[in-house]
Structure formats: structure tokens, C-alpha cells
Amino acid sequence: MSAREEVLRRVRYALGGTRGAHPPVPRGYARRLTGAEAETRADVIALFTERVADNRAAVRHVGADEAGTAVAAALWAREAKQIVVPADLPFGWLAELDGVRALADTPALDIDALAAVDGAVTGCALAVAQTGTVVLDGGRAQGRRALTLVPGFHLCVVRADQIVGTVPEAVTRLDPARPLTWISGPSATHGIELRRVEGVHGPHQLEILVVDD
């Protein structure tokens, strides 16, 4: 018997007759926010705003008719000259741009072109209040994953009705077969000296516009 066969024999023995079975997964964790955390729908949105700020991302609330002006103002504030957007981004979000060139990612831009822009503007699939997270799945107004990983600045527009309370709520609404990206603040890591470094695995600046109902 070879070493490989011996290892596999031991694995099979350790697994016993139940191999292939799926043991029950405990589901005792909270699936929804408690009343103490968020009693009303407005409280859920307020909690999301608070947690986004805790994650070191900028966040601002705007009305539906102010989205285009708010996107333009956010880009002007960062002196952006050229941005990249998904080809199906709502036109109204870019209608007020003046002096900022928007490149549609179709055909797909190469990495050098993405790295050269001043930022990206996208929507999202949904957002999680408890963790201050936005989730992208490559759907409408979101584009491919590289759009939000390569540029140094990401402006994400979140409709208030896309905000759910908890991660379990979010998981039930998402398709696990899609390319899910969970974003909780700017990309950051801690080195061996425990020094926080932002922008290593994605944008070092994240701004979220919450479009209120």
C-alpha cells in the first residue's frame, strides 16, 4: 500500500459510515434586528448610516431628485476628472456632471485604464445596516468586480429600500451563484506591526450616497 492509499484509508476510517452526510447547522443566531437595535424602518436606515461612518466611509443622504447633483458634487469635491461606470448605470445619476468624463466599461477596460481613472460610480445589490456593508453581485448598475477593486475611489449609490437589517436577511435575498463582493468601508489591512493600511486590496476611499424613499 502506497503512502497516498494509507492516508486515504485513514481518512475514510475517521469519517466512518456517515461520510457524505450533512450534519445539522445550528441556527440559533439572530436573523433580524431587535426592537432595541431598530424599532422602525427609519431606525434601520439610521443604523446603516452610523455603521458606515464607523467603517471610515463617507455617507450622505439625498432625495431621489437630488441623486445626479449629489454624485456630481461628490466627484467635484475630490477633483475627479475621469471616472469609470457600468454601462447600465442610470443616466440620471450622471446627468449633472460638468468637467468630469465618464467612461462606460464596455468593452471592458484593461487594468491600466482602470488604474488611471479618478474613481468609479456604481449602484449595489443591497446593503446591511448592522454591519454598514454594501453588497455587489454584478447586477444592474454594478458592473464587474474589477470596477470597484482597481480605482482608488468608489462612490456607491444605495437606495433606502435596498437596506436590510442583518447579514442573514441579506443572504436570503442574494444568489450565491453570483460574484458577491461585500464591502464594509475602504479596503484595509493590518501588517505585522498592527498598523492599518488602506487601499491595499481595493479602493482606499469609499463614499456612499443613500437615496431616501
Coordinates of all heavy atoms in Angstrom, one line a residue, residues 6 9 27 39 42 44 53 59 65 68 75 86-87 90 104 141 159 174 190 196 203 207:
E6 N -2.6 4.9 2.1 CA -2.7 4.7 3.5 C -3.4 6.0 4.1 O -4.2 5.9 5.0 CB -1.3 4.6 4.1 CG -1.2 4.6 5.6 CD -2.0 3.5 6.3 OE1 -2.4 2.5 5.6 OE2 -2.3 3.6 7.5
R9 N -7.0 5.8 3.4 CA -7.6 4.8 4.2 C -7.9 5.3 5.6 O -9.0 5.1 6.2 CB -6.7 3.5 4.3 CG -7.3 2.4 5.1 CD -6.3 1.3 5.5 NE -5.3 1.8 6.4 CZ -5.5 1.9 7.7 NH1 -6.7 1.6 8.2 NH2 -4.6 2.4 8.5
R27 N -28.9 27.1 14.1 CA -29.4 28.4 13.6 C -30.0 29.3 14.7 O -31.0 29.9 14.5 CB -30.5 28.2 12.5 CG -30.1 27.3 11.3 CD -29.1 28.0 10.4 NE -28.8 27.2 9.2 CZ -27.9 27.6 8.3 NH1 -27.3 28.8 8.4 NH2 -27.7 26.9 7.3
E39 N -36.3 50.0 16.0 CA -37.7 49.7 16.1 C -38.5 50.0 14.9 O -39.5 49.3 14.6 CB -38.2 50.6 17.3 CG -39.6 50.3 17.7 CD -40.1 51.1 18.9 OE1 -39.2 51.8 19.4 OE2 -41.2 50.9 19.3
A42 N -37.1 53.6 9.7 CA -36.2 54.8 9.8 C -35.0 54.5 10.7 O -33.9 54.9 10.4 CB -36.9 56.0 10.3
V44 N -33.6 51.5 11.0 CA -32.7 50.6 10.3 C -31.8 51.4 9.4 O -30.6 51.2 9.3 CB -33.6 49.6 9.4 CG1 -32.6 48.8 8.5 CG2 -34.4 48.7 10.3
A53 N -20.3 55.0 8.8 CA -19.3 56.0 9.3 C -18.3 55.4 10.2 O -17.1 55.7 10.2 CB -20.1 57.1 10.1
V59 N -20.6 59.1 4.2 CA -22.0 58.7 3.8 C -22.9 60.0 3.9 O -22.7 60.8 4.7 CB -22.6 57.6 4.8 CG1 -22.5 58.1 6.3 CG2 -24.0 57.2 4.5
D65 N -34.7 63.0 -6.3 CA -34.5 64.0 -7.3 C -33.1 64.7 -7.2 O -32.8 65.6 -8.0 CB -35.6 65.0 -7.3 CG -35.8 65.7 -6.0 OD1 -35.2 65.2 -5.0 OD2 -36.4 66.7 -5.9
G68 N -28.4 63.0 -9.0 CA -27.5 63.4 -10.0 C -26.6 64.6 -9.5 O -25.4 64.6 -9.7
L75 N -18.0 64.0 -6.8 CA -16.8 63.9 -7.7 C -16.1 65.2 -7.7 O -14.8 65.2 -7.8 CB -17.3 63.5 -9.0 CG -17.9 62.1 -9.1 CD1 -18.5 61.8 -10.5 CD2 -16.9 61.0 -8.7
P86 N -20.4 51.4 -14.8 CA -21.1 50.3 -15.6 C -21.9 50.9 -16.7 O -22.4 52.0 -16.7 CB -22.0 49.7 -14.5 CG -21.5 50.1 -13.2 CD -20.9 51.5 -13.4
A87 N -22.0 50.1 -17.8 CA -22.7 50.6 -19.0 C -24.1 50.8 -18.7 O -24.8 51.7 -19.4 CB -22.5 49.6 -20.1
P90 N -27.8 54.1 -14.2 CA -28.9 55.1 -14.6 C -28.4 56.4 -15.1 O -27.5 57.0 -14.4 CB -29.7 55.2 -13.2 CG -29.4 53.9 -12.5 CD -28.0 53.6 -12.9
A104 N -17.8 54.5 -19.9 CA -18.5 53.3 -19.8 C -17.6 52.0 -20.0 O -16.8 52.0 -20.9 CB -19.7 53.2 -20.8
A141 N -26.4 48.2 -12.8 CA -25.7 49.4 -12.3 C -24.5 49.1 -11.4 O -24.0 49.9 -10.7 CB -26.7 50.2 -11.5
R159 N -30.1 52.8 -2.7 CA -31.5 53.2 -2.4 C -31.9 52.7 -1.0 O -31.5 51.6 -0.6 CB -32.4 52.5 -3.4 CG -32.2 52.9 -4.9 CD -33.4 52.5 -5.8 NE -33.9 51.2 -5.4 CZ -33.5 50.0 -5.9 NH1 -32.5 50.0 -6.8 NH2 -34.0 48.9 -5.5
L174 N -29.8 37.1 -1.6 CA -28.8 37.1 -2.6 C -28.7 35.7 -3.3 O -29.0 34.7 -2.7 CB -27.4 37.4 -2.0 CG -27.3 38.8 -1.5 CD1 -26.1 38.9 -0.6 CD2 -27.2 39.8 -2.6
H190 N -4.0 45.1 8.1 CA -3.0 45.4 9.2 C -1.8 44.5 9.0 O -1.9 43.3 8.9 CB -3.7 45.2 10.6 CG -4.7 46.2 11.0 ND1 -6.0 46.1 10.5 CD2 -4.6 47.3 11.8 CE1 -6.7 47.2 11.0 NE2 -5.9 47.8 11.8
R196 N -2.6 50.0 10.5 CA -3.7 49.9 9.5 C -3.2 50.6 8.2 O -2.8 51.7 8.2 CB -5.0 50.6 10.0 CG -6.1 50.6 9.0 CD -7.3 51.4 9.6 NE -8.4 51.6 8.6 CZ -9.4 50.8 8.5 NH1 -9.6 49.8 9.3 NH2 -10.4 51.1 7.6
P203 N -10.2 50.0 -3.2 CA -10.2 51.5 -3.1 C -9.9 51.9 -1.7 O -10.3 51.3 -0.7 CB -11.6 52.0 -3.5 CG -12.4 50.8 -3.3 CD -11.6 49.6 -3.6
E207 N -17.3 56.2 -0.6 CA -18.3 57.2 -0.2 C -19.7 56.6 -0.7 O -19.8 56.0 -1.7 CB -18.1 58.5 -0.9 CG -19.2 59.6 -0.5 CD -18.8 61.0 -0.9 OE1 -17.6 61.2 -1.3 OE2 -19.7 61.9 -0.9

